Amino acid sequence: MDDYDKTCLESALVGVCNIVQQEWGGAIPCQVVLVTDGCLGIGRGSLRHSLATHSQRGESNRFPLPFPFPSKLYIMCMANLEELQSTDSLDCLERLIDLNNGEGQIFTIDGPLCLKNVQSMFGKLIDLAYTPFHAVLKCGHLTADVQVFPRPEPFVVDEEIDPIPKVINTDLEIVGFIDIADISSPPVLSRHLVLPIALNKEGDEVGTGITDDNEDENSANQIAGKIPNFCVLLHGSLKVEGMVAIVQLGPEWHGMLYSQADSKKKSNLMMSLFEPGPEPLPWLGKMAQLGPISDAKENPYGEDDNKSPFPLQPKNKRSYAQNVTVWIKPSGLQTDVQKILRNARKLPEKTQTFYKELNRLRKAALAFGFLDLLKGVADMLERECTLLPDTAHPDAAFQLTHAAQQLKLASTGTSEYAGYEHNITPLHTDFSGSSTERM
Amino acid sequence: MKIFSESHKTVFVVDHCPYMAESCRQHVEFDMLVKNRTQGIIPLAPISKSLWTCSVESSMEYCRIMYDIFPFKKLVNFIVSDSGAHVLNSWTQEDQNLQELMAALAAVGPPNPRADPECCSILHGLVAAVETLCKITEYQHEARTLLMENAERVGNRGRIICITNAKSDSHVRMLEDCVQETIHEHNKLAANSDHLMQIQKCELVLIHTYAVGEDSLVSDRPKKELSPVLTSEVHSVRAGRHLATKLNILVQQHFDLASTTITNIPMKEEQHANTSANYDVELLHHKDAHVDFLKSGDTHIGGSSREGSFKETITLKWCTPRTNNIELHYCTGAYRISPVDVNSRPSSCLTNFLLNGRSVLLEQPRKSGSKVISHMLSSHGGEIFLHVLSSSRSILEDPPSISEGCGGRVTDYRITDFGEFMRENRLTPFLDPRYKIDGSLEIPLERAKDQLEKHTRYWPMIISQTTIFNMQAVVPLASVIVKESLTEEDVLNCQKTIYNLVDMERKNDPLPISTVGTRGKGPKRDEQYRIMWNELETLVRAHINNSEKHQRVLECLMACRSKPPEEEERKKRGRKREDKEDKSEKAVKDYEQEKSWQDSERLKGILERGKEELAEAEIIKDSPDSPEPPNKKPLVEMDETPPIEKSKGPVSLLSLWSNRINTANSRKHQEFAGRLNSVNNRAELYQHLKEENGMETTENGKASRQ
């Protein structure tokens, strides 16, 4: 970001925009604090000018708001409300918040401009934007007071019916456990450190147990470090077992707790939030339908822990898993015809595959109304029949003639022979008995 | 994309009039002769698809991609129009798959070229399409039921894709007017109906298709608002692959799709198995999988797609997986994919590789030349997903280690035991609804929470806080007492466990009482047993309200333990005899077997103890973020002091010293079995004789000796 000797809020915001994106990408929420005296600059580059030309921007000089990342814009005015209202400054600053999709707030000084009042203004910002999120982690009767960092943001479900922001519970209740292999790198909204904290009787935080320079705190932290904490136990076991704990964050909202290693030595308890909803991960199914293994007739993980009830199989297979027929490109059609031909030349050994491929082609041709293809393939099989070498098995000729005849019948399109569910079956010949045995 | 947007309902209206039976005049060579057999054979004449075939296969391809990427909540209704409208399926989810549609299309068959063209019209289909858009889908129904009085907030929008052969621009206008008029009428009808919904928004996509080489009589027109309810666009497309390309573009526009090309996929050559070449495979998926590229502007677009599609594709490089390591990646999104060219060899090689359970990391080539893993392909239950991995800097850099925080200095967490606990509390899907006794629906997840509540009623977190969980002998009781209900066999096992403990106490067996934080050798033996019994009572009492059988376990426990040891002994002996009288011979035998097993277990334990104690020094240093004690019960001092040294009063320097020497020595050799099993330092000789003579004698022998 270059320095300028005049107020130019737009360049400042552009600079912020670039820095944040380079450093953090577009997914990490960022709080942008703009400290200003409430003056908007003059002439070109002034906020008034920026806003006036806002509607005439192209791709190249896009206005930096809304920020292309989840953000809150806090504007700290070193001026009191009356001063700002005397000009249109406040209106312009409010426009900025509006342009950031309403994400943010303006702070002004109560009373005269003095150190105390400025401190109190920043105090308000701290209370609003930087209060730690305290919660209680529960697993049945085992509990621990924790701080979740960064603060989980409320989530607005992209849903036209009821777009109420969802906020996570301060009771984080573990509902069960799943192997890492089964949860399988699920998509998450955000991830957070779960830090155990020590609370005194009034519920104030005494310390995180993290060693500090301050001596008093040091001793308090040392005591906290020596009191067994559920988080540490949970973390240790999750790490050793390679598992995650499923945690309920609210109605129809879940997340997972797991051990995250920062380096060889350091590791931590982390929590990731799934997207709210009854079924955040298709391979686990509906969250409400997950129950304890002891309720199952037999252990779904097997007696030797050698199997797993996950992933759930969907009812219908996807196109790439069910051998669909697509003839949009000529090569697709040619490959299918070649497959039939290849098997035709290996009759009677390949009788089953031959008919399987033949029926697949027949079905698709009927569905696409491509009856000419059936005629063409029938002609081709008849030609193959005439080309059979003398050494060929006598059954081959019978099967080819039979298949060609059946395709011709289907190509008439009359319902009797062109039924979709109908399959051409191998002809029973005096020789076919032995050939079926071979299969 | 909101659930009830235009993409929720798509109606295909395909013209089935005689004209559609005409050839698209694009030839397909299907008789590809293999080189060595071509001599003297003339290949069969190429064939060509009809306009109908082109239309049907292109719309099926549209549906294939849509179903692959959105298997739910995106619905298709297929209508064929000739002398009337043939509606091939319904909005229900069961009807939403390619097989159903293919079967229905086969039943319709190709258009009859000899039918009377005057009777046939696409209008029948368009009217039916509007009608079907008013019909409620199961998802709309569900949402309306959920919202009750606000049911009107559930949207009803849809799209009609009409493939026909129009005569002129004015013919097209006539079709649009007809749709407009029909919507108006049906909305009036729907207003007075409970099971129909008014159409709020309808997108009409008219595709005029004609044989290659002909002149188009209809001009293209971009999307135009005909009324607040209806927008319409016109595409004039040659049949054959042009039509397929157009529908491929449309499916991408309609469902916000984007394309990714995976490059550098190593594949064995079909003909030469020992060589491998690199292939590219193009995949479609929701465009959010590219969100990071779009926002950061660091798009590295690898030229336009080979299909000549309107959209560009983003190129990602295959990274050959080295290990099958199971890792938890930080993934910000996962999107279903569909290969553009599903049956091509490279596509099916890639999809089969993934369906077999392997995951592939994908590398994003950056302008700077640096390598960043940005995506991962992985299948879950037969569905392939493109996972977006976070590649930007983490805001959680260099966090404090858990060992530096609260509870971080504690070194004897029951990590292994809690691991066992987690495995017992793993989740599994219950797809069939279950009902409680009162007939209400049972929610499996609530059952899981209940189980966790039961299993944690008494669960000490550290080894030095517990005695019973450090004792193998307690396991049979501790593992079943937490259950919601017990079987008779469970109760019997619990009782056996308790008798066994009584037996241990009588023999004065050492207990794994922790000496952490205490000076000297810790509590005396009878005190140890008192602590153990108290703890066991706490555990059992926590569960007495589960069932009457739990209550019976507590009764047994209370009967067997008693505070004054002499009384205890007497009571126990009396009880044992009573018990034995009504137990069958088999039960006696079982007991014997179990006892001898326990004995051998104990011997094993003694042998291992030495090792453990050596390991102990290291364990203490171990930080709790990697606290995997090599054995379940390491951090306990077995009280092995012979009773003779257990003098009352303050411990003398001599006894301290000899204690120390004895302990050190005892590590160097295996203790005599006799001394180990001794009672009050007196070992009984020729025990086996009595054992051979039966239980009664042993019991009497011991009793008389005391």
Side-chain angles (χ1 to χ4, degrees):
Chain A
M1 204 190 313
D2 291 315
D3 280 330
Y4 292 93
D5 55 1
K6 67 173 216 171
T7 303
C8 185
L9 290 180
E10 182 174 344
S11 328
L13 293 173
V14 168
V16 166
C17 202
N18 293 338
I19 285 176
V20 170
Q21 284 198 88
Q22 272 166 26
E23 203 64 36
W24 311 104
I28 293 186
C30 216
Q31 321 215 48
V32 179
V33 181
L34 170 67
V35 184
T36 172
D37 56 359
C39 299
L40 309 174
I42 33 170
R44 281 179 72 82
S46 72
L47 188 60
R48 272 188 209 91
H49 180 258
S50 294
L51 292 174
T53 57
H54 177 258
S55 53
Q56 307 144 27
R57 305 300 182 103
E59 248 332 283
S60 56
N61 58 344
R62 200 186 81 90
F63 192 69
L65 294 178
F67 285 124
F69 45 85
S71 67
K72 291 258 196 285
L73 176 63
Y74 295 114
I75 302 177
M76 314 301 291
C77 294
M78 297 294 154
N80 63 40
L81 202 58
E82 292 73 40
E83 283 176 80
L84 292 167
Q85 275 166 338
S86 60
T87 62
D88 64 342
S89 299
L90 197 65
D91 294 337
C92 290
L93 294 174
E94 271 168 359
R95 267 299 293 290
L96 285 182
I97 307 283
D98 289 345
L99 286 173
N100 201 34
N101 299 324
E103 294 292 346
Q105 199 174 318
I106 298 174
F107 291 84
T108 55
I109 288 176
D110 288 334
L113 186 58
C114 66
L115 185 63
K116 190 171 143 273
N117 287 340
V118 172
Q119 277 175 340
S120 116
M121 175 175 75
F122 276 92
K124 279 184 206 153
L125 171 70
I126 289 164
D127 287 345
L128 181 82
Y130 296 93
T131 3
F133 184 85
H134 286 181
V136 182
L137 180 63
K138 290 186 175 168
C139 175
H141 296 275
L142 298 168
T143 63
D145 292 308
V146 294
Q147 182 190 340
V148 178
F149 178 86
R151 223 187 139 76
E153 292 292 321
F155 183 81
V156 185
V157 184
D158 182 22
E159 176 60 68
E160 60 197 311
I161 293 163
D162 248 333
I164 300 166
K166 284 193 160 208
V167 183
I168 81 164
N169 286 348
T170 49
D171 269 359
L172 306 172
E173 195 179 4
I174 291 175
V175 294
F177 302 86
I178 288 180
D179 290 306
I180 283 184
D182 288 338
I183 200 96
S184 183
S185 297
V188 299
L189 294 174
S190 58
R191 46 176 202 167
H192 309 265
L193 277 173
V194 178
L195 302 164
I197 48 170
L199 295 177
N200 63 22
K201 276 174 198 149
E202 286 77 46
D204 297 330
E205 193 179 336
V206 168
T208 51
I210 297 158
T211 352
D212 222 309
D213 291 338
N214 192 313
E215 259 180 49
D216 282 348
E217 262 183 44
N218 213 357
S219 59
N221 284 336
Q222 276 183 357
I223 293 163
K226 283 176 185 160
I227 300 166
N229 192 294
F230 172 60
C231 287
V232 187
L233 172 70
L234 175 69
H235 168 267
S237 299
L238 289 175
K239 184 173 184 170
V240 170
E241 300 290 335
M243 291 173 104
V244 303
I246 301 296
V247 58
Q248 179 138 21
L249 309 169
E252 293 203 329
W253 198 5
H254 296 86
M256 62 172 179
L257 289 161
Y258 53 97
S259 160
Q260 168 85 23
D262 184 56
S263 61
K264 271 171 222 142
K265 292 228 173 114
K266 283 185 169 183
S267 83
N268 254 295
L269 188 62
M270 292 273 268
M271 179 168 74
S272 289
L273 315 187
F274 302 145
E275 195 159 313
E279 196 182 337
L281 308 173
W283 50 95
L284 295 191
K286 289 203 166 65
M287 294 308 275
Q289 286 181 343
L290 296 178
I293 49 172
S294 57
D295 277 2
K297 280 189 202 82
E298 53 185 81
N299 189 347
Y301 290 91
E303 290 313 315
D304 309 323
D305 214 11
N306 53 0
K307 50 181 186 175
S308 166
F310 302 109
L312 243 56
Q313 301 286 331
K315 245 206 226 150
N316 289 318
K317 282 186 175 178
R318 304 291 152 253
S319 71
Y320 45 80
Q322 60 174 349
N323 198 13
V324 293
T325 317
V326 179
W327 291 333
I328 285 171
K329 285 187 178 175
S331 60
L333 178 62
Q334 285 154 5
T335 312
D336 286 348
V337 173
Q338 285 296 316
K339 261 189 231 163
I340 293 173
L341 216 50
R342 257 205 315 275
N343 288 300
R345 284 167 192 159
K346 288 177 191 154
L347 286 172
E349 282 79 15
K350 295 281 185 181
T351 307
Q352 293 300 320
T353 348
F354 171 73
Y355 280 101
K356 196 185 125 213
E357 289 298 332
L358 194 73
N359 280 313
R360 190 173 147 246
L361 176 120
R362 179 184 172 279
K363 272 193 157 68
L366 289 173
F368 296 151
F370 198 4
L371 305 182
D372 285 353
L373 178 70
L374 296 177
K375 270 188 226 120
V377 174
D379 290 344
M380 204 172 67
L381 293 179
E382 277 172 351
R383 185 190 64 202
E384 279 307 307
C385 199
T386 66
L387 293 174
L388 284 173
D390 299 341
T391 52
H393 193 282
D395 200 29
F398 280 109
Q399 298 297 349
L400 286 174
T401 318
H402 167 68
Q405 198 187 359
Q406 290 290 312
L407 285 186
K408 284 219 164 119
L409 285 172
S411 76
T412 60
T414 46
S415 55
E416 200 182 331
Y417 304 105
Y420 184 74
E421 294 307 329
H422 175 78
N423 273 322
I424 304 175
T425 49
L427 182 72
H428 277 282
T429 64
D430 293 345
F431 318 101
S432 56
S434 57
S435 64
T436 25
E437 259 170 47
R438 242 172 288 165
M439 274 166 295
Chain B
M1 209 187 320
K2 282 170 180 152
I3 156 165
F4 300 125
S5 70
E6 282 84 346
S7 307
H8 179 54
K9 289 165 148 180
T10 303
V11 189
F12 266 97
V13 183
V14 181
D15 199 339
H16 195 248
C17 296
Y19 179 86
M20 296 295 281
E22 283 188 23
S23 162
C24 75
R25 291 189 221 147
Q26 246 184 3
H27 295 305
V28 194
E29 295 279 357
F30 72 101
D31 191 19
M32 309 293 283
L33 292 166
V34 181
K35 282 167 208 149
N36 57 1
R37 289 174 57 108
T38 48
Q39 280 167 337
I41 301 161
I42 306 153
L44 295 167
I47 49 177
S48 68
K49 298 171 185 170
S50 63
L51 292 180
W52 164 258
T53 299
C54 296
S55 308
V56 166
E57 68 177 5
S58 305
S59 22
M60 281 298 108
E61 181 69 358
Y62 181 106
C63 296
R64 178 187 73 79
I65 293 169
M66 190 200 83
Y67 287 143
D68 273 355
I69 298 175
F70 298 103
F72 309 102
K73 298 179 184 176
K74 306 281 175 240
L75 311 170
V76 162
N77 200 296
F78 213 96
I79 295 171
V80 164
S81 182
D82 43 32
S83 57
H86 309 271
V87 182
L88 302 190
N89 68 335
S90 76
W91 292 127
T92 55
Q93 190 65 59
E94 297 90 78
D95 276 6
Q96 300 299 317
N97 62 73
L98 288 179
Q99 291 86 340
E100 290 283 330
L101 290 175
M102 296 278 271
L105 282 167
V108 169
N112 180 2
R114 284 172 299 279
D116 179 5
E118 292 304 311
C119 304
C120 296
S121 168
I122 190 72
L123 283 174
H124 301 299
L126 287 172
V127 170
V130 171
E131 211 169 301
T132 204
L133 279 181
C134 288
K135 285 185 187 151
I136 192 164
T137 69
E138 55 201 273
Y139 296 104
Q140 287 175 321
H141 178 72
E142 207 176 290
R144 272 159 62 116
T145 320
L146 208 70
L147 285 178
M148 310 279 279
E149 67 273 18
N150 292 323
E152 76 280 358
R153 276 156 68 185
V154 176
N156 188 36
R157 294 173 261 247
R159 184 178 287 125
I160 300 173
I161 300 175
C162 173
I163 307 177
T164 183
N165 181 272
K167 291 179 187 70
S168 61
D169 283 343
S170 56
H171 183 204
V172 166
R173 251 191 314 281
M174 186 271 282
L175 296 179
E176 288 173 338
D177 290 345
C178 163
V179 172
Q180 170 77 44
E181 189 58 32
T182 316
I183 291 177
H184 186 70
E185 279 167 32
H186 276 84
N187 273 355
K188 268 195 235 160
L189 278 175
N192 300 316
S193 161
D194 278 344
H195 52 273
L196 294 179
M197 284 177 86
Q198 289 192 315
I199 301 171
Q200 297 167 336
K201 200 99 198 152
C202 176
E203 244 182 64
L204 179 62
V205 181
L206 275 168
I207 301 170
H208 162 71
T209 187
Y210 55 99
V212 176
E214 272 181 21
D215 288 332
S216 172
L217 305 168
V218 174
S219 38
D220 269 1
R221 207 196 56 215
K223 196 191 273 186
K224 189 174 107 181
E225 196 168 281
L226 300 181
S227 81
V229 181
L230 183 67
T231 61
S232 166
E233 61 192 270
V234 183
H235 303 271
S236 183
V237 197
R238 282 172 292 164
R241 61 187 162 84
H242 307 284
L243 181 60
T245 308
K246 173 56 79 179
L247 276 154
N248 185 281
I249 294 167
L250 288 175
V251 74
Q252 295 189 47
Q253 284 174 350
H254 293 166
F255 295 95
D256 290 338
L257 305 185
S259 152
T260 295
T261 302
I262 318 296
T263 65
N264 267 3
I265 306 175
M267 239 176 76
K268 291 250 164 25
E269 293 283 356
E270 204 163 13
Q271 311 298 336
H272 320 278
N274 48 354
T275 60
S276 88
N278 290 336
Y279 286 88
D280 293 1
V281 171
E282 188 186 349
L283 306 174
L284 293 177
H285 49 78
H286 192 267
K287 67 170 190 241
D288 279 358
H290 288 165
V291 74
D292 278 351
F293 303 123
L294 302 176
K295 276 185 176 166
S296 67
D298 190 17
T299 39
H300 193 91
I301 293 162
S304 63
S305 156
R306 280 169 302 150
E307 314 297 308
S309 301
F310 80 111
K311 257 192 185 170
E312 286 163 318
T313 183
I314 282 181
T315 306
L316 295 173
K317 202 171 143 248
W318 161 289
C319 298
T320 303
R322 283 188 187 82
T323 56
N324 257 343
N325 226 352
I326 302 150
E327 235 183 297
L328 205 56
H329 295 276
Y330 178 28
C331 161
T332 53
Y335 305 90
R336 289 185 176 87
I337 60 106
S338 184
V340 170
D341 200 356
V342 66
N343 279 344
S344 74
R345 225 174 74 83
S347 287
S348 57
C349 272
L350 174 67
T351 51
N352 286 334
F353 181 86
L354 295 165
L355 291 172
N356 285 333
R358 308 287 296 273
S359 297
V360 180
L361 294 172
L362 303 173
E363 188 186 296
Q364 177 201 354
R366 286 220 168 147
K367 281 177 203 150
S368 55
S370 60
K371 289 177 179 179
V372 177
I373 301 290
S374 62
H375 291 77
M376 177 178 78
L377 277 171
S378 188
S379 81
H380 310 285
E383 291 188 285
I384 300 174
F385 290 80
L386 181 61
H387 290 247
V388 183
L389 304 181
S390 170
S391 51
S392 51
R393 192 177 145 194
S394 164
I395 51 164
L396 298 174
E397 267 172 20
D398 202 22
S401 173
I402 192 139
S403 59
E404 294 163 31
C406 290
R409 296 271 158 259
V410 180
T411 52
D412 64 337
Y413 286 106
R414 293 169 58 205
I415 299 287
T416 317
D417 290 353
F418 197 71
E420 184 63 33
F421 168 92
M422 294 194 314
R423 276 201 298 277
E424 282 165 12
N425 285 287
R426 270 187 292 190
L427 299 167
T428 189
F430 292 88
L431 303 178
D432 301 321
R434 293 171 167 225
Y435 298 92
K436 291 185 211 158
I437 305 161
D438 63 2
S440 64
L441 192 69
E442 186 177 270
I443 297 162
L445 201 66
E446 294 302 321
R447 294 273 304 154
K449 287 185 207 166
D450 281 355
Q451 178 167 313
L452 283 174
E453 187 276 323
K454 287 199 179 72
H455 283 204
T456 54
R457 282 186 194 161
Y458 178 69
W459 213 99
M461 287 196 282
I462 56 174
I463 292 163
S464 52
Q465 263 174 2
T466 177
T467 305
I468 56 170
F469 292 112
N470 297 332
M471 296 166 67
Q472 199 60 39
V474 181
V475 171
L477 184 146
S479 60
V480 298
I481 200 76
V482 294
K483 293 206 294 190
E484 189 176 20
S485 60
L486 299 178
T487 62
E488 279 301 332
E489 200 191 336
D490 290 335
V491 176
L492 207 64
N493 279 331
C494 290
Q495 288 168 342
K496 268 189 203 166
T497 308
I498 295 167
Y499 300 152
N500 190 32
L501 292 172
V502 170
D503 207 36
M504 282 172 70
E505 183 174 21
R506 186 164 42 78
K507 287 192 282 180
N508 225 358
D509 284 350
L511 286 182
I513 296 271
S514 165
T515 54
V516 173
T518 53
R519 289 167 72 101
K521 278 283 154 192
K524 276 182 243 141
R525 189 65 52 88
D526 51 352
E527 175 67 8
Q528 288 180 5
Y529 272 90
R530 200 185 56 78
I531 293 170
M532 186 278 288
W533 285 118
N534 280 344
E535 199 186 358
L536 194 62
E537 193 182 322
T538 311
L539 172 69
V540 176
R541 271 194 195 284
H543 294 276
I544 48 165
N545 292 328
N546 291 12
S547 76
E548 171 270 332
K549 290 199 177 75
H550 287 83
Q551 185 78 47
R552 268 167 56 198
V553 175
L554 182 72
E555 280 160 18
C556 170
L557 174 67
M558 296 315 285
C560 286
R561 74 164 296 195
S562 64
K563 276 99 216 176
E566 296 80 15
E567 197 185 313
E568 159 89 53
E569 281 296 302
R570 226 174 296 133
K571 218 197 248 172
K572 179 185 70 196
R573 254 176 278 141
R575 195 185 159 78
K576 280 227 158 165
R577 280 204 198 90
E578 271 166 45
D579 267 348
K580 229 168 284 129
E581 272 157 25
D582 41 53
K583 266 181 204 158
S584 68
E585 219 178 76
K586 193 181 165 288
V588 177
K589 227 166 134 195
D590 282 349
Y591 181 80
E592 269 295 281
Q593 274 169 1
E594 183 159 314
K595 204 168 148 259
S596 60
W597 177 81
Q598 296 263 345
D599 282 347
S600 68
E601 277 300 293
R602 203 147 46 94
L603 262 175
K604 257 190 253 164
I606 290 155
L607 288 174
E608 272 165 22
R609 209 175 297 145
K611 291 182 214 158
E612 285 167 23
E613 276 167 0
L614 283 175
E616 194 178 302
E618 286 159 37
I619 295 156
I620 290 169
K621 274 188 226 134
D622 212 343
S623 72
D625 54 350
S626 57
E628 193 182 2
N631 189 284
K632 266 194 166 184
K633 280 92 204 175
L635 256 177
V636 284
E637 186 89 1
M638 287 294 206
D639 192 346
E640 289 172 82
T641 338
I644 197 153
E645 289 174 27
K646 261 184 157 184
S647 53
K648 289 194 162 75
V651 187
S652 70
L653 190 60
L654 173 66
S655 64
L656 266 176
W657 174 252
S658 43
N659 253 344
R660 198 188 144 107
I661 292 293
N662 284 343
T663 333
N665 285 342
S666 70
R667 283 181 191 152
K668 291 174 189 152
H669 65 87
Q670 191 183 328
E671 187 58 285
F672 291 119
R675 192 176 292 159
L676 279 170
N677 292 328
S678 65
V679 177
N680 295 332
N681 224 17
R682 248 179 249 161
E684 196 176 3
L685 298 175
Y686 307 115
Q687 278 181 327
H688 63 281
L689 287 176
K690 281 165 189 164
E691 269 162 33
E692 275 161 22
N693 289 341
M695 186 74 187
E696 203 65 32
T697 342
T698 321
E699 192 69 27
N700 284 345
K702 277 187 185 169
S704 62
R705 198 188 61 232
Q706 279 165 352

